[in-house]
Amino acid sequence: SCNEGILPSGKQVNSFIPYDIRRDFRLPLYRQQDAIYAYHFYRLIQRASHVWLLYNTEPGKLGGGDPSRFIRQIESELPGYCQALTLRKEVLVTPLVKGEGVPAIEIVKDETVMEKLLAKAVSGFSPTSLNAYRSCSLRFYFSEIAELKEPEEAEDEIDPRILGSAVHHALKSLFQPLLGKALSGSTLGSLEPLVEEAVMQGFREVFQGDGISAGKNLLLVEVAKIMIRNYIRREKALVEELAGKGETLTVTMLEKPLSGSLDLPVDGTKRKIRIKGFVDRVDRLGGITRVIDYKTGIVNSKEVAVKEWEALLTEPVLDKGFQLLTYAWLLAGQQAGDLLHAGILSLKKQGAGFITVSVPRENEEKPSRIIGSREIMKMGEILSVILEELYNPEESFRQTIDPERCTWCPYITLCGR
């Protein structure tokens, strides 16, 4: 590593004393450090018969690009002092190796795999598992059939997943006493003093590490409190605005499991395929039932804008839209005839408000945000297409052809993408 910046190390002095103070009090500076490097370097090579000086010609994160000034000095000055000196310079080039490509992996749906799929039909498919299949059928196989789960390790720091879980727990505990009651400004105002304890209890339930009272963890706990307080204040303002119109807002479900089924042919026999979900909140605003998913991160509206129904079969960007429409389909099975809105409340970016799923209208360019019986029927057809392919024994589990979908896949080292 005889590159400039490594030999010598450059203007880096391992000291807490600032440069100006070091200079004024005539303490050693980087120039003296360079002189020490030079002294040791030339003493090391003084009586050597053969010396190899290696440096990297390619700049990058590990340094490289320029040879050390000592090499330049040897090339330009040393031959004049030593007639017996022989200099030889070589550039070593590694030939490019032609890649053989990603090995194709194909998992055939043999008898064992089909048995596990039939067992899943009874236990049920969640929107998360179906999203995995939509993105990459091999990922679905690893997760749901081979049951290769990521190990859960005790974390010392709060990550986004833990933050989201704690906020969900806190919101549930705060709104549970108001379930089934029309919300009012006074009842929502009474929740604010309870936020701190609800958040702390939420973190105690989901975070196994220590030290939520200091450092980065403390900052994230405070962020959770701010998110929830701001959300309650926005709800209060909404309720007061509705009161002026003679309308109400009533929370009807919190953190509730939903379940439904589809009858599909499997091996010539009609079987019930169960679909299940876990909805964060369902409320009734005026004459509309809203299916709500809380998110502690930023959500883009394009993630819930369904321009074509067929896009729900394959497009990963619509994962959130697919999840919400599946919840709406499940809820419609229990509350038939209700007009629905399905959407996301981003607690991090609350100025965006309720980000509603939009779906295409028949023979109209403008999308619809209302989910009625026609939209529920279309979503049922989408789920049927996905599950029919999943239970087709002729369709093997394969890697996705889109490498961008592999970026955050936990099984990327298994498939070799």
Side-chain angles (χ1 to χ4, degrees):
S1 298
C2 295
N3 284 92
E4 187 64 25
I6 299 176
L7 181 73
S9 63
K11 299 180 180 181
Q12 297 178 4
V13 180
N14 296 322
S15 172
F16 291 112
I17 303 173
Y19 173 82
D20 293 339
I21 296 176
R22 295 178 67 85
R23 182 192 60 194
D24 290 347
F25 285 88
R26 298 182 180 179
L27 295 172
L29 304 174
Y30 65 85
R31 292 176 182 173
Q32 285 79 10
Q33 184 173 313
D34 286 358
I36 294 170
Y37 267 87
Y39 176 81
H40 287 306
F41 175 76
Y42 286 111
R43 294 296 74 74
L44 281 168
I45 69 172
Q46 187 172 10
R47 291 181 175 83
S49 57
H50 292 83
V51 177
W52 286 266
L53 301 175
L54 310 179
Y55 64 92
N56 180 19
T57 59
E58 297 298 322
K61 292 182 179 180
L62 299 177
D66 296 321
S68 167
R69 68 187 74 170
F70 297 156
I71 293 178
R72 300 289 193 197
Q73 193 173 26
I74 288 172
E75 288 177 329
S76 60
E77 297 181 12
L78 200 54
Y81 291 96
C82 181
Q83 300 300 322
L85 179 67
T86 301
L87 291 176
R88 188 172 66 188
K89 189 172 183 178
E90 295 181 6
V91 177
L92 303 180
V93 179
T94 305
L96 292 174
V97 179
K98 188 177 180 180
E100 297 180 358
V102 178
I105 298 177
E106 182 177 349
I107 308 295
V108 179
K109 293 175 183 172
D110 57 17
E111 188 177 342
T112 304
V113 172
M114 289 304 295
E115 284 179 3
K116 291 200 172 185
L117 282 172
L118 291 174
K120 286 291 294 181
V122 178
S123 61
F125 294 95
S126 67
T128 302
S129 65
L130 292 176
N131 271 331
Y133 184 79
R134 291 170 59 251
S135 176
C136 173
S137 63
L138 185 63
R139 178 176 180 174
F140 173 88
Y141 171 81
F142 286 143
S143 174
E144 303 298 324
I145 306 302
E147 298 182 355
L148 301 176
K149 304 297 183 183
E150 294 181 78
E152 293 186 8
E153 299 178 0
E155 298 287 344
D156 292 327
E157 290 188 354
I158 295 170
D159 60 18
R161 177 184 58 82
I162 293 172
L163 174 63
S165 297
V167 168
H168 278 70
H169 277 78
L171 286 170
K172 181 182 179 181
S173 67
L174 287 168
F175 280 89
Q176 191 70 41
L178 306 179
L179 200 61
K181 302 174 183 177
L183 300 181
S184 66
S186 59
T187 55
L188 288 168
S190 66
L191 296 181
E192 285 199 52
L194 308 176
V195 169
E196 182 157 353
E197 177 54 32
V199 169
M200 296 305 293
Q201 182 59 34
F203 277 105
R204 283 193 287 267
E205 288 184 19
V206 300
F207 183 53
Q208 304 301 320
D210 297 323
I212 61 173
S213 58
K216 180 183 175 182
N217 288 349
L218 174 60
L219 293 176
L220 290 172
V221 170
E222 293 302 317
V223 165
K225 294 176 186 176
I226 291 169
M227 282 182 179
I228 293 176
R229 287 195 183 102
N230 288 342
Y231 174 61
I232 291 172
R233 289 165 188 165
R234 279 189 164 274
E235 285 280 275
K236 183 178 177 182
L238 173 62
V239 165
E240 289 171 349
E241 182 184 339
L242 290 171
K245 301 176 183 178
E247 297 178 351
T248 58
L249 175 63
T250 306
V251 179
T252 58
M253 294 183 190
L254 284 173
E255 303 281 344
K256 185 172 180 180
L258 299 174
S259 180
S261 63
L262 286 167
D263 292 327
L264 296 176
V266 179
D267 287 340
T269 306
K270 271 208 168 187
R271 292 183 181 272
K272 280 192 178 295
I273 313 295
R274 183 170 176 254
I275 299 172
K276 59 185 180 180
F278 200 80
V279 66
D280 290 342
R281 167 171 158 168
V282 176
D283 61 28
R284 192 160 185 83
L285 193 158
I288 298 288
T289 298
R290 301 192 306 172
V291 181
I292 298 173
D293 196 33
Y294 296 122
K295 298 292 182 187
T296 51
I298 295 175
V299 179
N300 195 314
S301 59
K302 70 179 183 181
E303 296 177 276
V304 292
V306 182
K307 295 180 180 178
E308 296 178 356
W309 284 103
E310 289 72 19
L312 288 170
L313 296 173
T314 55
E315 291 298 324
V317 72
L318 294 175
D319 280 358
K320 293 183 176 67
F322 178 86
Q323 179 183 11
L324 285 162
L325 286 169
T326 303
Y327 290 157
W329 180 83
L330 291 170
L331 186 65
Q334 297 182 9
Q335 300 176 192
D338 283 6
L339 293 178
L340 301 173
H341 275 165
I344 292 173
L345 277 171
S346 174
L347 299 173
K348 186 174 185 178
K349 195 177 179 181
Q350 297 189 26
F354 184 52
I355 306 171
T356 315
V357 172
S358 61
V359 293
R361 287 179 176 177
E362 193 171 7
N363 302 324
E364 291 188 34
E365 292 185 6
K366 193 174 180 181
S368 172
R369 299 184 184 277
I370 297 290
I371 301 173
S373 57
R374 176 186 169 274
E375 289 74 25
I376 293 300
M377 183 181 68
K378 291 292 292 184
M379 189 59 200
E381 291 173 3
I382 293 294
L383 291 169
S384 295
V385 170
I386 293 172
L387 291 170
E388 282 173 5
E389 181 184 297
L390 178 58
Y391 280 91
N392 184 352
E394 303 300 322
E395 291 285 344
S396 302
F397 294 107
R398 297 184 179 90
Q399 296 151 306
T400 177
I401 59 173
D402 182 4
E404 289 187 8
R405 303 185 187 187
C406 305
T407 305
W408 304 110
C409 178
Y411 307 105
I412 189 169
T413 54
L414 286 177
C415 78
R417 172 67 70 180

